[in-house]
Every structure is written in C-alpha cells, then in structure tokens.
C-alpha cells in the first residue's frame, strides 16, 4: 500500500460529496468517506495513496467502484 494518512481519512467524514453524480448522489455527509482514484500504486489488494483521493458519499463511491 502507498501513503496512508489517518488524519486525511478521518477528515472526510461529514464533508460534502465531491462527486455529486446526478441521480446517484445521496447528498448525505454522514456517509462521506475518502474515495481512492486509480494510480500507479493501485493493484491487486492495494489502494492508491491517500493523496489520490477525494471525499465522496457512499452512493457515489459505490457507483465509481463499479465503473
């Protein structure tokens, strides 16, 4: 795994969704987590660095993970 920042991960909670995908976003800051974007570090069993991420609600996170 790449760079992990507990402070960055914890700071995502309660933030508005950065993605706000139309007809998907639940606009519920209570469900917001740090969503990792693809990078060179990402691979089988590995997430991208926490610096390659954005705040996203549960619904948008699921939609993005399902491609």
């Amino acid at each position: 795994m790449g760079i992990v920042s507990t402070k960055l991960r914890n700071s995502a909670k309660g933030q508005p969704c950065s993605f706000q995908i139309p007809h998907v976003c639940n606009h519920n800051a209570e469900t917001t987590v740090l969503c990792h974007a693809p990078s060179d570090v990402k691979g089988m069993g590995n997430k991208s660095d926490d610096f390659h991420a954005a705040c996203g609600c549960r619904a948008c996170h699921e939609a993005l993970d399902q491609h």
Side-chain angles (χ1 to χ4, degrees), residues 4-13 34 50-53 55:
V4 177
S5 171
T6 302
K7 287 183 181 182
L8 188 57
R9 288 180 180 206
N10 291 342
S11 72
K13 185 161 179 80
L34 194 65
D50 283 352
F51 299 108
H52 292 109
C55 298

Side-chain angles (χ1 to χ4, degrees), residues 28-67:
N28 184 351
E30 299 271 328
T31 68
T32 301
V33 295
L34 194 65
C35 306
H36 294 84
S39 74
D40 293 340
V41 177
K42 187 175 180 180
M44 177 124 29
N46 290 328
K47 287 186 179 181
S48 301
D49 293 336
D50 283 352
F51 299 108
H52 292 109
C55 298
C57 72
R58 180 180 177 192
C60 287
H61 191 192
E62 286 179 8
L64 293 168
D65 277 351
Q66 294 173 6
H67 308 282

